[in-house]
Structure formats: structure tokens, C-alpha cells
């Protein structure tokens, strides 16, 4: 009952966290990667040993490439993401990466993505996120269609939407920090991480909602008069350990991937990690207390 009784304080803290996250993500500007804006991707390998990032940056600086991303890959390679490169610029970049022939390099891959294709990918990414949210809400509304008292089944779906907004706002805010201070870009991996967060984080919320549904049924069959807030509090108590154990194992895997995985997947793993943590606590501290707050508001309106 602690969570239910102190829901106003919890709502305030979570609200502040969401606002700060949105300011971080949108306030510092959206720096999309070449997958969404168009550009060139070059992957090279150094058979004799990869130089330091700073040394390569020094060689690339005179080429006026604008904003670019240089990522280590494997033990001896680099991936360079830049604006669209012409053939002369491509050759100039290869020369800079080889330090004007002083270092041997092997070009493993070179691709260019046009702005039309990038715009299409951006549109599809937005559609994918919207469709995932819509399908989740429809599933919840269908699964809880027999739960109508004291909270209608469709309200479970609305609460799920609010919870999902929180669950993707927190990792998005963290990513905005990476974009501003570490030069990260919004790319396909970031979109994939958000979609994965949507699917994973709703899991705990549905488990808690299902426990509430079961306890409501038992209360009704036993002709009990237990208040809704007490039923929610008891349901949360019954699912604390299950939610923690399930989420903790996933968090351990993601943390290991962040520490030990390749450089190109670090931001992806970190986004998933933060999203998993946000999804775990939101199912306990946000979703169910919102149902209680909505029910209490409805009861006050009826009693007037």
C-alpha cells in the first residue's frame, strides 16, 4: 500500500524525470544518422594496427566533412559516417585515413544512402512505433474486456499508453545526453532499441494488471467489499518479487553487453538497459497507481 498511498509524490518525481528527459531529447536538437538523412558509410581495416581516434580526427579535419561519426569496429577497424561523398572526396578520405600512405588500410565497405531513402526510413520508423503502441493497447483492451468495475477495461489501455510514453521518454532523454555530449546520432539501432523497450516494458505492466483483474474477480465472487485501492496494493505486493527477478536477469545481460560488447553496440545496449529499468519501475510506481487515481477521481465526480 506504500506505493498507492504515496502516489502523488511518486507522480511528481516521475513527471519531473519525464520533463527533463524530453527537454534533453528535443532541447539539444535531433541529430539523425545517415540512415535517416542520407550520406556515406565507409568501413576500413588496419592490418598493422588501428591508430588512435584523435590521430584520425586530425587527418580528417582539413577535409571539411561537417559533422561525422568515427566508430571503432572489431580490433583493427573504423566505421566512418559522413554526409554524401563524391568520388574525389571518397579518395581524399581514404588518403586521410591512411595518413597519406603512411599506414596500410583495407577498404571493407563503402555505401551511400540518398536523402529520399533516408526520409522513407524515418517515416517507416515512426509508423512502426505508432503501430506497436496501438497493437499493445488493443490487446490490453481485448484481454481486459470483462473487467468493467470499478475501472472500465479501456482505461487499462489508456494507462498503458501513458506508461509506454514514460518508458520510451526516459531512454530517449538519456540518448539526447549522448547526442549532445558524445556525438551520438539517432540511427536504426536507436529506433530498434525503442521498439524493443516498448515490447519488453509492457510485460511487467500486463502482469500487474492481470493480478489486479484476478483479485477483482475473487473479491466479487466472495461478495467482498474490499476497496479498489487495497486490491491494487495487494496485487502489487504479490508481483514485486516476480517483476524484480524477471527484470534483473535481463538487466544483467544488457549490462554485460554494454561493458563487454563492441563499440558499435554500446549505445544500443545502454538505451535498452535504461529502458528496461524505466519499464520495470513504471509498472509498479506509475501504471497501477494511475488506475487508483483515475478511479478515485471518478468516484468523487459521482458523489457530487
Amino acid at each position: 500500500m506504500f506505493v498507492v498511498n504515496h502516489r502523488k509524490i511518486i507522480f511528481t518525481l516521475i513527471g519531473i524525470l519525464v520533463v527533463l528527459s524530453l527537454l534533453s531529447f528535443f532541447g539539444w536538437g535531433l541529430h539523425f544518422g545517415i540512415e535517416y538523412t542520407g550520406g556515406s558509410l565507409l568501413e576500413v581495416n588496419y592490418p598493422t594496427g588501428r591508430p588512435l581516434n584523435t590521430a584520425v580526427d586530425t587527418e580528417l579535419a582539413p577535409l571539411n566533412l561537417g559533422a561525422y561519426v568515427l566508430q571503432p569496429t572489431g580490433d583493427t577497424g573504423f566505421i566512418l559516417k559522413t554526409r554524401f561523398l563524391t568520388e574525389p572526396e571518397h579518395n581524399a578520405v581514404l588518403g586521410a585515413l591512411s595518413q597519406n600512405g603512411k599506414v596500410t588500410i583495407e577498404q571493407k565497405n563503402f555505401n551511400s544512402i540518398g536523402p529520399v531513402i533516408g526520409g522513407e526510413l524515418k517515416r517507416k520508423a515512426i509508423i512502426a512505433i505508432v503501430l506497436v503502441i496501438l497493437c499493445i493497447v488493443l490487446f490490453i483492451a481485448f484481454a481486459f474486456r470483462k473487467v468493467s468495475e470499478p475501472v472500465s477495461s479501456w482505461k487499462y489501455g489508456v494507462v498503458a499508453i501513458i506508461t509506454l510514453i514514460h518508458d520510451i521518454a526516459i531512454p530517449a532523454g538519456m540518448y539526447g545526453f549522448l547526442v549532445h555530449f558524445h556525438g551520438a546520432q539517432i540511427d536504426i539501432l536507436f529506433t530498434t532499441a525503442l521498439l524493443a523497450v516498448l515490447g519488453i516494458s509492457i510485460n511487467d505492466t500486463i502482469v500487474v494488471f492481470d493480478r489486479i483483474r484476478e483479485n477483482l474477480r475473487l473479491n466479487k465472487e466472495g461478495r467482498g467489499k474490499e476497496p479498489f485501492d487495497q486490491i491494487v496494493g495487494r496485487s502489487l505486493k504479490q508481483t514485486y518479487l516476480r517483476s524484480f527477478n524477471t527484470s534483473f536477469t535481463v538487466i544483467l545481460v544488457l549490462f554485460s553487453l554494454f561493458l563487454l560488447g563492441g563499440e558499435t553496440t554500446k549505445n544500443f545496449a545502454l538505451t535498452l538497459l535504461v529502458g528496461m529499468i524505466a519499464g520495470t519501475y513504471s509498472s509498479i510506481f506509475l501504471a497501477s497507481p494511475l488506475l487508483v487515481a483515475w478511479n478515485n477521481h471518478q468516484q468523487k465526480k459521482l458523489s457530487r
Side-chain angles (χ1 to χ4, degrees), residues 57-104:
D57 287 331
T58 301
E59 296 292 334
L60 292 174
L63 301 182
N64 298 319
L65 298 177
Y68 64 85
V69 175
L70 183 66
Q71 294 178 328
T73 178
D75 296 326
T76 59
F78 275 123
I79 291 178
L80 177 66
K81 298 178 181 179
T82 70
R83 59 173 173 76
F84 181 77
L85 298 177
T86 63
E87 189 58 31
E89 288 175 328
H90 172 212
N91 294 329
V93 168
L94 288 176
L97 293 174
S98 66
Q99 299 180 4
N100 295 320
K102 298 177 182 178
V103 180
T104 302

Side-chain angles (χ1 to χ4, degrees), residues 12-24 162 165-167 169-170 173 281 286:
T12 301
L13 294 176
I14 291 179
I16 293 173
L17 190 59
V18 169
V19 170
L20 291 176
S21 297
L22 293 177
L23 288 176
S24 171
I162 298 173
I165 291 173
H166 161 272
D167 294 346
I170 301 304
Y281 76 72
L286 182 60

Side-chain angles (χ1 to χ4, degrees), residues 1 35 61 86 110 136 144 149 231 243 295:
M1 289 296 292
E35 295 95 337
T86 63
F110 178 71
I136 289 173
F144 290 82
E149 294 180 1
I231 293 176
S243 296
N295 177 65

Side-chain angles (χ1 to χ4, degrees), residues 45-304:
N45 184 55
Y46 291 82
T48 57
R50 181 174 59 204
L52 297 174
N53 285 50
T54 52
V56 177
D57 287 331
T58 301
E59 296 292 334
L60 292 174
L63 301 182
N64 298 319
L65 298 177
Y68 64 85
V69 175
L70 183 66
Q71 294 178 328
T73 178
D75 296 326
T76 59
F78 275 123
I79 291 178
L80 177 66
K81 298 178 181 179
T82 70
R83 59 173 173 76
F84 181 77
L85 298 177
T86 63
E87 189 58 31
E89 288 175 328
H90 172 212
N91 294 329
V93 168
L94 288 176
L97 293 174
S98 66
Q99 299 180 4
N100 295 320
K102 298 177 182 178
V103 180
T104 302
I105 65 170
E106 297 175 354
Q107 178 177 295
K108 298 182 64 177
N109 186 29
F110 178 71
N111 289 314
S112 293
I113 301 174
V116 175
I117 297 177
E120 181 69 12
L121 287 174
K122 188 189 301 182
R123 184 181 67 84
K124 289 183 177 180
I126 295 173
I127 292 175
I129 292 176
V130 173
L131 284 178
V132 168
I133 294 176
L134 180 62
C135 289
I136 289 173
V137 172
L138 289 176
F139 168 77
I140 293 176
F142 176 78
F144 290 82
R145 64 191 182 281
K146 295 182 180 180
V147 180
S148 58
E149 294 180 1
V151 177
S152 301
S153 59
W154 63 270
K155 292 181 180 179
Y156 287 84
V158 174
V159 168
I161 292 178
I162 298 173
T163 305
L164 287 174
I165 291 173
H166 161 272
D167 294 346
I168 62 174
I170 301 304
M174 178 278 306
Y175 204 83
F177 180 88
L178 294 178
V179 168
H180 183 71
F181 291 101
H182 297 280
Q185 292 185 338
I186 300 174
D187 54 13
I188 290 292
L189 282 179
F190 171 72
T191 305
T192 304
L194 287 189
L195 289 171
V197 167
L198 288 174
I200 295 173
S201 65
I202 197 64
N203 181 55
D204 283 336
T205 302
I206 291 179
V207 168
V208 177
F209 281 0
D210 192 60
R211 178 59 61 181
I212 294 172
R213 176 178 62 175
E214 182 65 17
N215 286 330
L216 284 172
R217 183 185 64 82
L218 293 174
N219 185 61
K220 185 177 180 180
E221 290 178 354
R223 299 184 182 277
K225 296 183 179 180
E226 188 177 12
F228 182 67
D229 58 345
Q230 291 186 16
I231 293 176
V232 172
R234 182 155 53 87
S235 301
L236 285 173
K237 187 177 180 180
Q238 293 171 349
T239 54
Y240 283 149
L241 189 59
R242 183 266 178 201
S243 296
F244 175 80
N245 289 339
T246 303
S247 300
F248 185 68
T249 54
V250 179
I251 289 171
L252 279 179
V253 173
L254 293 174
F255 188 67
S256 301
L257 180 61
F258 173 70
L259 290 180
L260 306 175
E263 192 69 26
T264 55
T265 60
K266 279 190 178 295
N267 291 343
F268 172 75
L270 183 59
T271 304
L272 274 179
L273 177 63
V274 174
M276 189 66 197
I277 294 173
T280 301
Y281 76 72
S282 68
S283 64
I284 298 173
F285 295 103
L286 182 60
S288 300
L290 273 176
L291 287 175
V292 175
W294 200 339
N295 177 65
N296 290 348
H297 178 71
Q298 178 179 315
Q299 296 301 320
K300 287 180 181 179
K301 288 179 64 177
L302 293 175
S303 63
R304 291 175 184 173

